[in-house]
Amino acid sequence: MSRYSSVYRHAIDQPAQFWGEQAQRIPWFTPPTTLLDYDAQGHARWFVDGEMNTCYAALDHHVENGRGDQPAVLWDSPVTASKARYSYREMRDEVARLAGALAGLGVSKGDRVVIYMPMVPEALMAMYACARLGAVHSVVFGGFAPHELAVRIDDAEPKVVLAASCGVEVDRVIAYKPILDAALALSEHRPEACVILQRDVGEAELGALDHDWRTLVANAAPADCVPVKASDPLYILYTSGTTGKPKGVVRDNGGHAVALHYSMEVVYGMQPGEVFCSASDVGWVVGHSYIVYAPLLAGCTTLVYEGKPVRTPDSGAFWRLIEEYRVKVFFAAPTAFRAIKKEDPEGRWLARHDVSSLRTLFLAGERLDPPTFHWLEGLLEVPVVDHWWQTETGWPIAANLQGLAPMPTKAGSATYPVPGFDVRVLDPEGEPAGVGEQGAVVIRQPLPPGCLTGVWHDPQRFHSAYMAAFPGYYLTGDGGYFDADGYLFIMGRTDDVINVAGHRLSTGEMEEVVGAHPAVAECAVIGIHDALKGQVPVGLVIPKDGFDGDEAALEQALVARVREQIGPIACFQQVLVVPRLPKTRSGKILRKLLRTIADGERFGIPSTIDDPGSLEDVHAAMCERELGQASQARQG
Ligand code: COA
Ligand code: AMP
C-alpha cells in the first residue's frame, strides 16, 4: 500500500515531473522541454514541443536496439485455419513499404485514413503505416453497417480507405467490400482511393477507385518515419455518445506512447520479450491500445486472434492460445468468459491445456460481475484482475497494479485509481460523495498523458460532453463509489450508453433509427440485463395514431432497420409495441424506471410522473412478452 501511495501521490501532486520521468523511456527525435501545458479551455496538453514518431518508437527503435528477430506479431486465425508470425524487423519492413504505398497515393502528415478491416496482421500494419507518415487513422469496427461507416467517413474525411475484402465470423464470411461500397454511396465525402486486401476466403471485385493491396505494396519503396509533434493526432476513434452522432475521440502521439509504455509495466506487469494477448478487436480502444500499440511500444510480442471465445472451434480456444504461444498476460471482456462458462462450467477444456505460462488474467470492457470473477478465480491459479477504462482515456483509470503493488482483490471492484488519474465521486451538487455513497465518477484535471485531447472537429462537444458538468473535472459517464478501504466500484453508466457483449452502444442512436420509421410516433430504447451479454437493447414503441398494421410485422421491421443501419453488433432483437410510455410532466420518458421494471427490481411511482397508468400498461406488456425479469418487478 505504501509503495502505491507514494507513487500515486507523486503522479497527482507533481504531474509534470512524474510524467517527465516516464517520457524518458520512449525514444524522442526532440525531447520535450514543456512537459505539461494547458490549452485555452484549460485542458492538459502533454510534451507539446517534443517530436517523435509512434511507429518509430514501436518498431524501428526496437530493431535498432537488438529486437529485430524477436516476434512482434503472432497471428492465429481458427476461422481461416491460418497462422502467421512477424518479427520486429519484418513488421518494420512491411509497414515501411505500406507507408510508401500510401505516400504514393498522396497520403502525408495530417491526412486521415479510414481502416475497415478484421483481425488480420495487415490491420496492424495499416495503423502503423499511417503513424509512420504522421497520417491520422480511424479504424471502424467490422460489425458496423454501411450507414455507420459512412457517418465516420464523412466526419473524418479520409484521403484513402484501407479495407479487407472480407471478415470471417463463426459461421459465415462477411464481405466487407460491398459494405464499403454501400457506405461510399451514402457518404458525401469521397476518398481519393481505396486499397483492398484480398483474402483467400472471399475475394472482392475491384472498382475504379480501388487498388489491390499486395500489388501496390510490392511496387512501393519503403517510407521513413516522419517526425510529428507529441500533440499531433495519431488517431480518431469513434465511440458512442448519447446522441446519434458518434464522438470522434482524438488521441495524440507523444502522451499516448508514454502512457501506454508506462501501463504495460505498471498495470500489466509485462517485461520486454513476453507475449501479451488481448482478445478484443482492432476496431475498439482495447484493440488500439493493447493489441496494436502498447505491446510493441514495450518490446513485447502481441498475439492477434481472429476468432471467438467459443465455437472456433470450442470453448477451449483461449486456453489453447495461452498454451500454444506461452502467453503471460491475457486480456478479454467478461462476456467472453461468460460465454465459455455457459458451455464449459466445470472448466473441462481448461484441464486439457497447459496454461502455466499465464501470470495474470485481465478483464475490462464492462464490470467483471462477481459470479464470473469467482468462477475464474476458482478455475485459475493466477490473479484475475478487473480494470476500468474507456475509449476516451485510452488506458486504465483503475486497476490492481500488477507491476507496482498487487493488492488483495475485491469482487466487483476495479481496485485503486492508476497513478495519474485523480478519481473522485461527486454527488449531483458537485460535492464529494461519502464512503460507500454512489455518485458520478469524475477525474480531476489535468488528465494524465494518453487521454483524449479532443473530439474531432468539435471542440464544443468535447467541452459539453466531458468538461461542463463539473468544472475542473472530466466526467466519465460512469456511476460508482469508493468503499472504506479506498477500493473503487464502477456500477454502470449514468447516461444513454449501454454495454452489449463488451461493445459500447448508444440507445439514443437506436432511438433515432427506430423513431425515424414512418409508423412510429414515439419510442424509448433501454438496455436491460442479459446473462451472457451483460446488457441488450430493447425498444418500446408507440405507433402513430391510426396505425392499423400488424404489430408483429412492425416489430420485425424495426429490428431489421437497426441491424441495417447500425449493424448486427447492436444486438437489437426485441421490440414491444405499447399504448403509452411513462413520462414526467415535462414530457421526459422515464427510461431509468423502465429499466428498473425490465430488470425485475422493486420500483416506486415518481411524484413527477404525468400518467401513472402508463406504468401499469408497460409493466403488463413486458410481463406478457416475458421481457427480462419484468414479471418479478414489484411496486413498492
Ligand atoms: N464483423 C461483422 N459482424 C460481426 C462482427 C464483425 N467483426 N463481430 C460481431 N459481429 C456480428 C455477429 O456475427 C453477430 O451476428 P448475428 O446477429 O448474425 O449472430 C452480431 O454481430 C452480434 O455479435 P456478438 O454480440 O459478438 O454475439 P456473438 O453471439 O457472435 O458472440 C460473444 C458473443 C460473447 C462470444 C462475443 O460477443 C465476444 O467474444 N465478446 C467479446 C467482445 C470484446 O472483446 N469486446 C472488446 C472490449 S474488451
Ligand atoms: P469503451 O469506451 O467501449 O471502452 O467503454 C467504456 C465503458 O465501459 C465505461 O465507461 C464503463 O461503462 C464500461 N467499462 C469498461 N470497463 C469496465 C470495468 N472494468 N468495470 C465497469 N465498467 C467498465
Side-chain angles (χ1 to χ4, degrees):
M1 179 68 188
S2 62
R3 174 132 193 259
Y4 166 78
S5 299
S6 66
V7 174
Y8 183 76
R9 287 282 18 125
H10 183 195
I12 299 302
D13 297 339
Q14 295 168 294
Q17 191 198 56
F18 181 87
W19 289 109
E21 281 166 21
Q22 296 307 324
Q24 290 170 20
R25 307 192 56 202
I26 65 150
W28 295 89
F29 300 146
T30 310
T33 54
T34 302
L35 301 172
L36 172 57
D37 202 4
Y38 292 90
D39 68 9
Q41 284 78 41
H43 307 312
R45 293 282 174 270
W46 288 94
F47 317 123
V48 282
D49 58 349
E51 282 197 323
M52 47 84 72
N53 180 287
T54 298
C55 179
Y56 177 84
L59 295 174
D60 306 55
H61 171 70
H62 293 307
V63 177
E64 290 164 17
N65 286 277
R67 289 196 186 281
D69 297 326
Q70 181 193 309
V73 176
L74 303 168
W75 179 56
D76 189 293
S77 169
V79 291
T80 60
S82 321
K83 294 178 186 182
R85 172 191 184 282
Y86 294 87
S87 67
Y88 268 90
R89 183 172 295 105
E90 288 164 337
M91 261 313 265
R92 180 201 59 185
D93 294 346
E94 292 282 350
V95 167
R97 271 195 301 278
L98 179 57
L102 287 176
L105 294 174
V107 174
S108 63
K109 188 165 156 178
D111 287 336
R112 271 83 56 215
V113 173
V114 160
I115 299 173
Y116 188 60
M117 296 184 74
M119 286 288 284
V120 291
E122 288 83 356
L124 283 73
M125 292 171 194
M127 294 162 79
Y128 275 117
C130 294
R132 197 170 186 85
L133 297 175
V136 182
H137 63 68
S138 187
V139 182
V140 180
F141 177 65
F144 282 124
H147 168 76
E148 289 293 310
L149 180 54
V151 166
R152 286 154 176 80
I153 288 174
D154 273 337
D155 197 65
E157 301 175 314
K159 190 169 251 182
V160 169
V161 175
L162 296 174
S165 56
C166 65
V168 187
E169 279 295 282
V170 178
D171 47 4
R172 64 195 194 279
V173 170
I174 303 200
Y176 276 22
K177 183 61 175 36
I179 298 178
L180 173 59
D181 289 342
L184 291 175
L186 290 171
S187 68
E188 281 175 22
H189 175 78
R190 284 270 148 277
E192 288 171 21
C194 297
V195 181
I196 310 295
L197 178 76
Q198 296 283 22
R199 302 191 71 190
D200 295 344
V201 278
E203 294 215 344
E205 215 169 285
L206 301 190
L209 207 65
D210 305 325
H211 298 263
D212 173 68
W213 182 301
R214 290 200 181 84
T215 313
L216 199 71
V217 171
N219 295 325
D224 266 344
C225 293
V226 174
V228 297
K229 286 263 183 272
S231 53
D232 282 341
L234 170 67
Y235 68 76
I236 307 166
L237 178 57
Y238 289 89
T239 190
S240 300
T242 49
T243 69
K245 190 168 179 262
K247 287 186 279 211
V249 165
V250 179
R251 190 93 57 220
D252 66 3
N253 273 275
H256 173 250
V258 172
L260 291 191
H261 191 280
Y262 178 74
S263 71
M264 282 302 276
E265 189 180 315
V266 167
V267 177
Y268 298 101
M270 289 294 292
Q271 294 300 318
E274 294 181 337
V275 180
F276 190 90
C277 181
S278 171
S280 178
D281 187 285
V282 288
W284 306 113
V285 69
V286 174
H288 279 61
S289 294
Y290 294 107
I291 293 172
V292 182
Y293 286 114
L296 303 194
L297 284 163
C300 299
T301 299
T302 184
L303 171 57
V304 178
Y305 176 59
E306 188 183 30
K308 299 270 173 179
V310 292
R311 295 180 289 150
T312 59
D314 52 52
S315 40
F318 283 0
W319 314 131
R320 174 190 62 86
L321 291 175
I322 294 169
E323 175 176 18
E324 191 169 333
Y325 299 98
R326 308 303 295 155
V327 173
K328 285 278 184 239
V329 167
F330 196 88
F331 176 173
T335 186
F337 284 102
R338 287 197 296 271
I340 295 173
K341 182 179 163 205
K342 196 165 158 223
E343 294 198 5
D344 182 23
E346 270 126 44
R348 294 215 171 94
W349 280 103
L350 173 64
R352 292 181 208 175
H353 294 281
D354 169 10
V355 294
S356 57
S357 65
L358 187 67
R359 197 164 50 218
T360 322
L361 176 67
F362 278 87
L363 297 112
E366 56 177 312
R367 178 169 182 250
L368 174 56
D369 52 293
T372 308
F373 168 73
H374 291 305
W375 181 72
L376 283 165
E377 225 197 4
L379 219 54
L380 297 168
E381 284 161 15
V382 300
V384 174
V385 175
D386 184 13
H387 62 326
W388 166 61
W389 51 298
Q390 41 185 216
T391 304
E392 289 84 345
T393 63
W395 65 290
I397 311 166
N400 198 330
L401 302 167
Q402 297 302 296
L404 180 69
M407 312 273 176
T409 310
K410 288 196 189 189
S413 168
T415 313
Y416 286 160
V418 172
F421 289 97
D422 189 351
V423 179
R424 310 282 176 101
V425 177
L426 302 180
D427 70 14
E429 278 72 49
E431 296 299 322
V435 167
E437 205 182 303
Q438 270 203 49
V441 185
V442 298
I443 304 168
R444 195 162 158 262
Q445 301 246 47
L447 292 174
C451 295
L452 82 168
T453 55
V455 173
W456 183 251
H457 277 341
D458 204 344
Q460 183 46 39
R461 193 165 183 201
F462 177 50
H463 184 76
S464 60
Y466 302 111
M467 306 299 183
F470 299 106
Y473 297 92
Y474 161 85
L475 183 73
T476 66
D478 281 304
Y481 64 93
F482 280 107
D483 76 1
D485 300 321
Y487 279 64
L488 180 63
F489 289 74
I490 298 296
M491 304 307 292
R493 299 287 303 193
T494 55
D495 54 16
D496 295 336
V497 168
I498 58 170
N499 213 302
V500 181
H503 306 131
R504 175 167 159 182
L505 299 163
S506 160
T507 52
E509 183 172 12
M510 294 184 214
E511 281 181 10
E512 282 184 24
V513 173
V514 171
H517 189 283
V520 172
E522 250 185 303
C523 72
V525 175
I526 55 168
I528 67 164
H529 177 76
D530 180 80
L532 174 65
K533 300 197 175 185
Q535 282 182 298
V536 288
V538 170
L540 300 162
V541 169
I542 306 176
K544 279 195 178 142
D545 282 350
F547 172 80
D548 56 2
D550 178 352
E551 286 186 4
L554 174 62
E555 290 174 7
Q556 273 174 23
L558 294 173
V559 166
R561 195 179 171 90
V562 172
R563 191 176 171 97
E564 201 181 286
Q565 293 201 23
I566 298 180
I569 204 66
C571 293
F572 184 79
Q573 276 150 11
Q574 300 180 77
V575 179
L576 224 63
V577 172
V578 291
R580 45 197 176 153
L581 284 164
K583 288 186 195 165
T584 61
R585 277 182 214 106
S586 59
K588 203 163 175 279
I589 297 174
L590 290 158
R591 291 180 176 76
K592 188 158 183 284
L593 188 58
L594 291 169
R595 273 200 310 268
T596 306
I597 297 173
D599 287 341
E601 291 164 18
R602 191 168 281 277
F603 65 95
I605 298 188
S607 56
T608 52
I609 198 164
D610 184 39
D611 173 11
S614 60
L615 212 50
E616 281 154 35
D617 283 352
V618 169
H619 187 197
M622 286 183 179
C623 292
E624 196 188 316
R625 290 284 285 276
E626 296 178 1
L627 187 94
Q629 305 291 313
S631 59
Q632 288 166 30
R634 290 281 169 272
Q635 203 177 309

